[in-house]
Amino acid sequence: ERRLTTPPRPLLPTRPSMSDSAKPGIHPRQGKSGTFVTLSGLNTGPSPPPDPEAPYPEAGPNGLNATCTIAGEEFPCHAFDPLTGEANCEMPALEKAMLGEGPMPIIVKVEGEVVNGDADNVFHTFDYQSPDEEELADEYKKNEYKYQDNFISRFRRTGPGATLLEEMAAECVGVSMIAIFGVGSVCTAVLTGAQQGLWQVAVVWGFGVSLAIYCTASISGAHLNPAVSFALAIFRTEAFPWRKLLPFWFAQYLGGVIGGAFNLLWFNEAFKLYETRNNITRGEPNSIFTAACFGEYFPNPGFYDVLPPGSISVAKAFFIEAWGTGILMFVILALTDPRHKIFTGTKPLAPFFIGFTVAVLISLYAPLTQAGWNPARDFGPRLVAAMAGWGKVAIPGPENGFWLYIVAPHLGTVLAAAFYDVVMARGLAPTERLKED
């Protein structure tokens, strides 16, 4: 005699048998939906010793016939296993409402003998739609991975946290996404005119940054920017130790190269047509108009009519890049700081607002310096352009200014992080964890 309770957790049915349905104790699962009950821990008396070399036990081994009597009705039990003392009983005539009315006695018989289970065990019930034998066979083929290793599972890792290599892969993919979406929007705007106005380019770029963060944050923290990683190594050493900096940089710059290569691959014909229409020769000074689809220049070649070449000095461009990247770093630290009460419960929106910050900064400063803010997404595609025929127009650039898009963002993030920690964060109430530390 046993007690029936409501199901504390879902339970998968025992592996079905496809070929032994005629054996005693095997009852094909046919008919309409009913209630499926697993009887666990049954004391069946003497049982044959388990064979470690034996395959997964088929339904109803040894032809033992088990029945379950509840509320005065007797039902056959499928897949009774004497080795584990488990039996699955389907009771289509039992109303679900009866199962929820409280404990009910269950009498289990194996070959006509009443057996009992441990008092600590319970019955688990769930709705079950009984398929016919063909449906069982199809379902088994679809879910065969439950019973044997499959090819993909061999590459899955179940350990806690991500390894450094996995973090590097996430950073590489994230920067590639930024280059594909962001730099790709510049390609579309310049070569086809599909994006009308700077704000449309900025919005696409911002959403690209947000999507990249959403896709990688749970693995690597979604730095996706060598300058951000540099500042975090200085001011958040416990969360991001120095030993990870060079691997992260390698992955980020590699991601920029991959993203730039994809842009060249997809837009190559558009580049050639644009160069033909506008009498542009790659590698010549006038090819800066197409080279700007990969790297950044000051002033923006697309605004030469209002900001002619030479109107923005190297020093001014340097400080604009440091300034813009500093603002971005400040916003990142503020949005991810757990001490900010205004962001309680809204952390999933942080990637969106970080991307929106990038879009705002692009709309403000892109006419001046093309708004780089990220050395990897500038130098990676720029390197692709240099190898694809733009040569010295890409690196070192008309005014030898490519270096400032690498150095200035690092300076900006460090200064912004120092300002946030020394000036702004002092006014925030510490979290309980900080108090304990």
Side-chain angles (χ1 to χ4, degrees), residues 245-271:
L245 183 59
L246 290 180
F248 266 53
W249 277 357
F250 173 79
Q252 291 159 351
Y253 281 105
L254 177 61
V257 171
I258 293 174
F262 273 112
N263 286 336
L264 178 64
L265 175 65
W266 306 137
F267 291 98
N268 189 42
E269 288 74 15
F271 274 113

PDB file of all heavy atoms in Angstrom, residues 245-271:
ATOM      1  N   LEU A 245      44.684  40.315 -20.135  1.00  0.00           N
ATOM      2  CA  LEU A 245      44.642  41.486 -21.005  1.00  0.00           C
ATOM      3  C   LEU A 245      45.150  41.171 -22.413  1.00  0.00           C
ATOM      4  O   LEU A 245      44.466  41.461 -23.408  1.00  0.00           O
ATOM      5  CB  LEU A 245      45.444  42.625 -20.388  1.00  0.00           C
ATOM      6  CG  LEU A 245      45.413  43.943 -21.173  1.00  0.00           C
ATOM      7  CD1 LEU A 245      43.988  44.455 -21.313  1.00  0.00           C
ATOM      8  CD2 LEU A 245      46.302  44.994 -20.503  1.00  0.00           C
ATOM      9  N   LEU A 246      46.350  40.612 -22.536  1.00  0.00           N
ATOM     10  CA  LEU A 246      46.894  40.339 -23.861  1.00  0.00           C
ATOM     11  C   LEU A 246      46.053  39.336 -24.646  1.00  0.00           C
ATOM     12  O   LEU A 246      45.803  39.540 -25.848  1.00  0.00           O
ATOM     13  CB  LEU A 246      48.343  39.857 -23.741  1.00  0.00           C
ATOM     14  CG  LEU A 246      49.360  40.911 -23.299  1.00  0.00           C
ATOM     15  CD1 LEU A 246      50.762  40.304 -23.217  1.00  0.00           C
ATOM     16  CD2 LEU A 246      49.360  42.111 -24.244  1.00  0.00           C
ATOM     17  N   PRO A 247      45.582  38.230 -24.028  1.00  0.00           N
ATOM     18  CA  PRO A 247      44.676  37.346 -24.783  1.00  0.00           C
ATOM     19  C   PRO A 247      43.407  38.045 -25.248  1.00  0.00           C
ATOM     20  O   PRO A 247      42.946  37.813 -26.371  1.00  0.00           O
ATOM     21  CB  PRO A 247      44.371  36.230 -23.777  1.00  0.00           C
ATOM     22  CG  PRO A 247      45.549  36.206 -22.864  1.00  0.00           C
ATOM     23  CD  PRO A 247      45.965  37.634 -22.730  1.00  0.00           C
ATOM     24  N   PHE A 248      42.840  38.910 -24.414  1.00  0.00           N
ATOM     25  CA  PHE A 248      41.647  39.645 -24.818  1.00  0.00           C
ATOM     26  C   PHE A 248      41.969  40.581 -25.977  1.00  0.00           C
ATOM     27  O   PHE A 248      41.186  40.701 -26.930  1.00  0.00           O
ATOM     28  CB  PHE A 248      41.081  40.431 -23.631  1.00  0.00           C
ATOM     29  CG  PHE A 248      40.012  39.693 -22.877  1.00  0.00           C
ATOM     30  CD1 PHE A 248      40.233  38.423 -22.405  1.00  0.00           C
ATOM     31  CD2 PHE A 248      38.773  40.268 -22.642  1.00  0.00           C
ATOM     32  CE1 PHE A 248      39.263  37.724 -21.702  1.00  0.00           C
ATOM     33  CE2 PHE A 248      37.781  39.589 -21.951  1.00  0.00           C
ATOM     34  CZ  PHE A 248      38.027  38.314 -21.478  1.00  0.00           C
ATOM     35  N   TRP A 249      43.098  41.272 -25.901  1.00  0.00           N
ATOM     36  CA  TRP A 249      43.473  42.168 -26.991  1.00  0.00           C
ATOM     37  C   TRP A 249      43.622  41.396 -28.299  1.00  0.00           C
ATOM     38  O   TRP A 249      43.142  41.848 -29.349  1.00  0.00           O
ATOM     39  CB  TRP A 249      44.800  42.862 -26.656  1.00  0.00           C
ATOM     40  CG  TRP A 249      44.626  44.072 -25.782  1.00  0.00           C
ATOM     41  CD1 TRP A 249      43.453  44.606 -25.337  1.00  0.00           C
ATOM     42  CD2 TRP A 249      45.680  44.891 -25.265  1.00  0.00           C
ATOM     43  NE1 TRP A 249      43.687  45.717 -24.569  1.00  0.00           N
ATOM     44  CE2 TRP A 249      45.064  45.916 -24.510  1.00  0.00           C
ATOM     45  CE3 TRP A 249      47.061  44.862 -25.351  1.00  0.00           C
ATOM     46  CZ2 TRP A 249      45.805  46.904 -23.847  1.00  0.00           C
ATOM     47  CZ3 TRP A 249      47.797  45.841 -24.700  1.00  0.00           C
ATOM     48  CH2 TRP A 249      47.176  46.851 -23.963  1.00  0.00           C
ATOM     49  N   PHE A 250      44.295  40.259 -28.240  1.00  0.00           N
ATOM     50  CA  PHE A 250      44.472  39.460 -29.449  1.00  0.00           C
ATOM     51  C   PHE A 250      43.117  39.078 -30.043  1.00  0.00           C
ATOM     52  O   PHE A 250      42.897  39.201 -31.255  1.00  0.00           O
ATOM     53  CB  PHE A 250      45.278  38.202 -29.128  1.00  0.00           C
ATOM     54  CG  PHE A 250      45.377  37.238 -30.271  1.00  0.00           C
ATOM     55  CD1 PHE A 250      46.274  37.449 -31.310  1.00  0.00           C
ATOM     56  CD2 PHE A 250      44.553  36.111 -30.325  1.00  0.00           C
ATOM     57  CE1 PHE A 250      46.363  36.559 -32.367  1.00  0.00           C
ATOM     58  CE2 PHE A 250      44.631  35.221 -31.381  1.00  0.00           C
ATOM     59  CZ  PHE A 250      45.538  35.444 -32.407  1.00  0.00           C
ATOM     60  N   ALA A 251      42.210  38.603 -29.195  1.00  0.00           N
ATOM     61  CA  ALA A 251      40.892  38.185 -29.678  1.00  0.00           C
ATOM     62  C   ALA A 251      40.106  39.354 -30.254  1.00  0.00           C
ATOM     63  O   ALA A 251      39.427  39.223 -31.284  1.00  0.00           O
ATOM     64  CB  ALA A 251      40.111  37.524 -28.543  1.00  0.00           C
ATOM     65  N   GLN A 252      40.197  40.514 -29.613  1.00  0.00           N
ATOM     66  CA  GLN A 252      39.445  41.678 -30.077  1.00  0.00           C
ATOM     67  C   GLN A 252      39.958  42.178 -31.427  1.00  0.00           C
ATOM     68  O   GLN A 252      39.156  42.484 -32.327  1.00  0.00           O
ATOM     69  CB  GLN A 252      39.520  42.777 -29.007  1.00  0.00           C
ATOM     70  CG  GLN A 252      38.740  42.435 -27.747  1.00  0.00           C
ATOM     71  CD  GLN A 252      39.192  43.230 -26.534  1.00  0.00           C
ATOM     72  OE1 GLN A 252      40.210  43.941 -26.570  1.00  0.00           O
ATOM     73  NE2 GLN A 252      38.455  43.101 -25.438  1.00  0.00           N
ATOM     74  N   TYR A 253      41.250  42.288 -31.572  1.00  0.00           N
ATOM     75  CA  TYR A 253      41.790  42.747 -32.857  1.00  0.00           C
ATOM     76  C   TYR A 253      41.524  41.717 -33.954  1.00  0.00           C
ATOM     77  O   TYR A 253      41.258  42.087 -35.106  1.00  0.00           O
ATOM     78  CB  TYR A 253      43.288  43.038 -32.739  1.00  0.00           C
ATOM     79  CG  TYR A 253      43.590  44.379 -32.098  1.00  0.00           C
ATOM     80  CD1 TYR A 253      44.051  44.457 -30.788  1.00  0.00           C
ATOM     81  CD2 TYR A 253      43.395  45.566 -32.799  1.00  0.00           C
ATOM     82  CE1 TYR A 253      44.323  45.683 -30.192  1.00  0.00           C
ATOM     83  CE2 TYR A 253      43.657  46.798 -32.209  1.00  0.00           C
ATOM     84  CZ  TYR A 253      44.121  46.850 -30.900  1.00  0.00           C
ATOM     85  OH  TYR A 253      44.367  48.063 -30.321  1.00  0.00           O
ATOM     86  N   LEU A 254      41.603  40.443 -33.603  1.00  0.00           N
ATOM     87  CA  LEU A 254      41.274  39.417 -34.587  1.00  0.00           C
ATOM     88  C   LEU A 254      39.809  39.539 -35.014  1.00  0.00           C
ATOM     89  O   LEU A 254      39.490  39.394 -36.203  1.00  0.00           O
ATOM     90  CB  LEU A 254      41.538  38.030 -34.002  1.00  0.00           C
ATOM     91  CG  LEU A 254      41.183  36.836 -34.894  1.00  0.00           C
ATOM     92  CD1 LEU A 254      42.001  36.867 -36.175  1.00  0.00           C
ATOM     93  CD2 LEU A 254      41.393  35.519 -34.146  1.00  0.00           C
ATOM     94  N   GLY A 255      38.928  39.820 -34.066  1.00  0.00           N
ATOM     95  CA  GLY A 255      37.521  40.025 -34.414  1.00  0.00           C
ATOM     96  C   GLY A 255      37.323  41.195 -35.362  1.00  0.00           C
ATOM     97  O   GLY A 255      36.497  41.137 -36.280  1.00  0.00           O
ATOM     98  N   GLY A 256      38.099  42.279 -35.159  1.00  0.00           N
ATOM     99  CA  GLY A 256      38.008  43.409 -36.076  1.00  0.00           C
ATOM    100  C   GLY A 256      38.448  43.048 -37.480  1.00  0.00           C
ATOM    101  O   GLY A 256      37.833  43.487 -38.467  1.00  0.00           O
ATOM    102  N   VAL A 257      39.505  42.242 -37.584  1.00  0.00           N
ATOM    103  CA  VAL A 257      39.964  41.807 -38.902  1.00  0.00           C
ATOM    104  C   VAL A 257      38.911  40.942 -39.578  1.00  0.00           C
ATOM    105  O   VAL A 257      38.609  41.105 -40.772  1.00  0.00           O
ATOM    106  CB  VAL A 257      41.297  41.033 -38.774  1.00  0.00           C
ATOM    107  CG1 VAL A 257      41.677  40.394 -40.105  1.00  0.00           C
ATOM    108  CG2 VAL A 257      42.406  41.969 -38.296  1.00  0.00           C
ATOM    109  N   ILE A 258      38.316  40.019 -38.827  1.00  0.00           N
ATOM    110  CA  ILE A 258      37.303  39.126 -39.402  1.00  0.00           C
ATOM    111  C   ILE A 258      36.088  39.922 -39.865  1.00  0.00           C
ATOM    112  O   ILE A 258      35.573  39.709 -40.979  1.00  0.00           O
ATOM    113  CB  ILE A 258      36.895  38.065 -38.369  1.00  0.00           C
ATOM    114  CG1 ILE A 258      38.076  37.127 -38.092  1.00  0.00           C
ATOM    115  CG2 ILE A 258      35.690  37.269 -38.861  1.00  0.00           C
ATOM    116  CD1 ILE A 258      37.827  36.140 -36.979  1.00  0.00           C
ATOM    117  N   GLY A 259      35.635  40.856 -39.036  1.00  0.00           N
ATOM    118  CA  GLY A 259      34.491  41.675 -39.438  1.00  0.00           C
ATOM    119  C   GLY A 259      34.780  42.502 -40.673  1.00  0.00           C
ATOM    120  O   GLY A 259      33.942  42.608 -41.584  1.00  0.00           O
ATOM    121  N   GLY A 260      35.976  43.100 -40.734  1.00  0.00           N
ATOM    122  CA  GLY A 260      36.347  43.875 -41.913  1.00  0.00           C
ATOM    123  C   GLY A 260      36.444  43.019 -43.155  1.00  0.00           C
ATOM    124  O   GLY A 260      36.074  43.446 -44.261  1.00  0.00           O
ATOM    125  N   ALA A 261      36.942  41.779 -43.003  1.00  0.00           N
ATOM    126  CA  ALA A 261      37.048  40.877 -44.152  1.00  0.00           C
ATOM    127  C   ALA A 261      35.675  40.508 -44.694  1.00  0.00           C
ATOM    128  O   ALA A 261      35.471  40.447 -45.916  1.00  0.00           O
ATOM    129  CB  ALA A 261      37.817  39.623 -43.749  1.00  0.00           C
ATOM    130  N   PHE A 262      34.716  40.283 -43.803  1.00  0.00           N
ATOM    131  CA  PHE A 262      33.360  39.978 -44.266  1.00  0.00           C
ATOM    132  C   PHE A 262      32.745  41.171 -44.988  1.00  0.00           C
ATOM    133  O   PHE A 262      32.066  41.014 -46.011  1.00  0.00           O
ATOM    134  CB  PHE A 262      32.474  39.554 -43.094  1.00  0.00           C
ATOM    135  CG  PHE A 262      32.541  38.091 -42.795  1.00  0.00           C
ATOM    136  CD1 PHE A 262      33.127  37.635 -41.626  1.00  0.00           C
ATOM    137  CD2 PHE A 262      32.027  37.156 -43.685  1.00  0.00           C
ATOM    138  CE1 PHE A 262      33.188  36.284 -41.338  1.00  0.00           C
ATOM    139  CE2 PHE A 262      32.082  35.803 -43.418  1.00  0.00           C
ATOM    140  CZ  PHE A 262      32.675  35.365 -42.244  1.00  0.00           C
ATOM    141  N   ASN A 263      32.980  42.372 -44.470  1.00  0.00           N
ATOM    142  CA  ASN A 263      32.445  43.555 -45.155  1.00  0.00           C
ATOM    143  C   ASN A 263      33.029  43.685 -46.553  1.00  0.00           C
ATOM    144  O   ASN A 263      32.312  43.997 -47.512  1.00  0.00           O
ATOM    145  CB  ASN A 263      32.754  44.811 -44.335  1.00  0.00           C
ATOM    146  CG  ASN A 263      31.885  44.923 -43.099  1.00  0.00           C
ATOM    147  OD1 ASN A 263      30.790  44.364 -43.037  1.00  0.00           O
ATOM    148  ND2 ASN A 263      32.368  45.647 -42.101  1.00  0.00           N
ATOM    149  N   LEU A 264      34.335  43.454 -46.689  1.00  0.00           N
ATOM    150  CA  LEU A 264      34.961  43.522 -48.011  1.00  0.00           C
ATOM    151  C   LEU A 264      34.392  42.451 -48.930  1.00  0.00           C
ATOM    152  O   LEU A 264      34.148  42.699 -50.122  1.00  0.00           O
ATOM    153  CB  LEU A 264      36.474  43.353 -47.877  1.00  0.00           C
ATOM    154  CG  LEU A 264      37.261  43.360 -49.192  1.00  0.00           C
ATOM    155  CD1 LEU A 264      37.130  44.713 -49.894  1.00  0.00           C
ATOM    156  CD2 LEU A 264      38.737  43.027 -48.936  1.00  0.00           C
ATOM    157  N   LEU A 265      34.166  41.261 -48.391  1.00  0.00           N
ATOM    158  CA  LEU A 265      33.632  40.173 -49.198  1.00  0.00           C
ATOM    159  C   LEU A 265      32.244  40.503 -49.733  1.00  0.00           C
ATOM    160  O   LEU A 265      31.967  40.336 -50.929  1.00  0.00           O
ATOM    161  CB  LEU A 265      33.583  38.888 -48.359  1.00  0.00           C
ATOM    162  CG  LEU A 265      32.940  37.667 -49.018  1.00  0.00           C
ATOM    163  CD1 LEU A 265      33.764  37.219 -50.214  1.00  0.00           C
ATOM    164  CD2 LEU A 265      32.811  36.537 -47.998  1.00  0.00           C
ATOM    165  N   TRP A 266      31.369  40.995 -48.883  1.00  0.00           N
ATOM    166  CA  TRP A 266      29.980  41.245 -49.305  1.00  0.00           C
ATOM    167  C   TRP A 266      29.853  42.508 -50.147  1.00  0.00           C
ATOM    168  O   TRP A 266      29.006  42.570 -51.035  1.00  0.00           O
ATOM    169  CB  TRP A 266      29.069  41.343 -48.088  1.00  0.00           C
ATOM    170  CG  TRP A 266      29.139  40.166 -47.145  1.00  0.00           C
ATOM    171  CD1 TRP A 266      29.182  40.198 -45.779  1.00  0.00           C
ATOM    172  CD2 TRP A 266      29.159  38.779 -47.494  1.00  0.00           C
ATOM    173  NE1 TRP A 266      29.239  38.943 -45.254  1.00  0.00           N
ATOM    174  CE2 TRP A 266      29.225  38.038 -46.286  1.00  0.00           C
ATOM    175  CE3 TRP A 266      29.151  38.074 -48.697  1.00  0.00           C
ATOM    176  CZ2 TRP A 266      29.266  36.647 -46.254  1.00  0.00           C
ATOM    177  CZ3 TRP A 266      29.193  36.690 -48.666  1.00  0.00           C
ATOM    178  CH2 TRP A 266      29.243  35.988 -47.473  1.00  0.00           C
ATOM    179  N   PHE A 267      30.667  43.516 -49.890  1.00  0.00           N
ATOM    180  CA  PHE A 267      30.522  44.794 -50.599  1.00  0.00           C
ATOM    181  C   PHE A 267      31.576  45.000 -51.684  1.00  0.00           C
ATOM    182  O   PHE A 267      31.679  46.112 -52.229  1.00  0.00           O
ATOM    183  CB  PHE A 267      30.602  45.968 -49.599  1.00  0.00           C
ATOM    184  CG  PHE A 267      29.436  46.065 -48.673  1.00  0.00           C
ATOM    185  CD1 PHE A 267      29.501  45.559 -47.389  1.00  0.00           C
ATOM    186  CD2 PHE A 267      28.249  46.669 -49.082  1.00  0.00           C
ATOM    187  CE1 PHE A 267      28.426  45.655 -46.522  1.00  0.00           C
ATOM    188  CE2 PHE A 267      27.163  46.768 -48.224  1.00  0.00           C
ATOM    189  CZ  PHE A 267      27.253  46.258 -46.941  1.00  0.00           C
ATOM    190  N   ASN A 268      32.327  43.989 -52.020  1.00  0.00           N
ATOM    191  CA  ASN A 268      33.424  44.164 -52.969  1.00  0.00           C
ATOM    192  C   ASN A 268      32.934  44.686 -54.317  1.00  0.00           C
ATOM    193  O   ASN A 268      33.522  45.616 -54.894  1.00  0.00           O
ATOM    194  CB  ASN A 268      34.172  42.847 -53.157  1.00  0.00           C
ATOM    195  CG  ASN A 268      35.445  43.016 -53.949  1.00  0.00           C
ATOM    196  OD1 ASN A 268      36.189  43.973 -53.752  1.00  0.00           O
ATOM    197  ND2 ASN A 268      35.709  42.094 -54.865  1.00  0.00           N
ATOM    198  N   GLU A 269      31.870  44.113 -54.847  1.00  0.00           N
ATOM    199  CA  GLU A 269      31.346  44.583 -56.139  1.00  0.00           C
ATOM    200  C   GLU A 269      30.838  46.018 -56.026  1.00  0.00           C
ATOM    201  O   GLU A 269      31.021  46.839 -56.944  1.00  0.00           O
ATOM    202  CB  GLU A 269      30.213  43.673 -56.616  1.00  0.00           C
ATOM    203  CG  GLU A 269      30.662  42.296 -57.092  1.00  0.00           C
ATOM    204  CD  GLU A 269      31.054  41.375 -55.949  1.00  0.00           C
ATOM    205  OE1 GLU A 269      30.705  41.702 -54.795  1.00  0.00           O
ATOM    206  OE2 GLU A 269      31.704  40.353 -56.214  1.00  0.00           O
ATOM    207  N   ALA A 270      30.206  46.344 -54.906  1.00  0.00           N
ATOM    208  CA  ALA A 270      29.714  47.715 -54.709  1.00  0.00           C
ATOM    209  C   ALA A 270      30.880  48.696 -54.655  1.00  0.00           C
ATOM    210  O   ALA A 270      30.789  49.822 -55.175  1.00  0.00           O
ATOM    211  CB  ALA A 270      28.874  47.794 -53.437  1.00  0.00           C
ATOM    212  N   PHE A 271      31.994  48.300 -54.034  1.00  0.00           N
ATOM    213  CA  PHE A 271      33.181  49.152 -54.015  1.00  0.00           C
ATOM    214  C   PHE A 271      33.686  49.413 -55.434  1.00  0.00           C
ATOM    215  O   PHE A 271      34.001  50.564 -55.795  1.00  0.00           O
ATOM    216  CB  PHE A 271      34.294  48.492 -53.189  1.00  0.00           C
ATOM    217  CG  PHE A 271      34.218  48.772 -51.716  1.00  0.00           C
ATOM    218  CD1 PHE A 271      33.941  47.762 -50.814  1.00  0.00           C
ATOM    219  CD2 PHE A 271      34.430  50.049 -51.226  1.00  0.00           C
ATOM    220  CE1 PHE A 271      33.876  48.005 -49.465  1.00  0.00           C
ATOM    221  CE2 PHE A 271      34.362  50.311 -49.867  1.00  0.00           C
ATOM    222  CZ  PHE A 271      34.088  49.283 -48.973  1.00  0.00           C
TER     223      PHE A 271
END
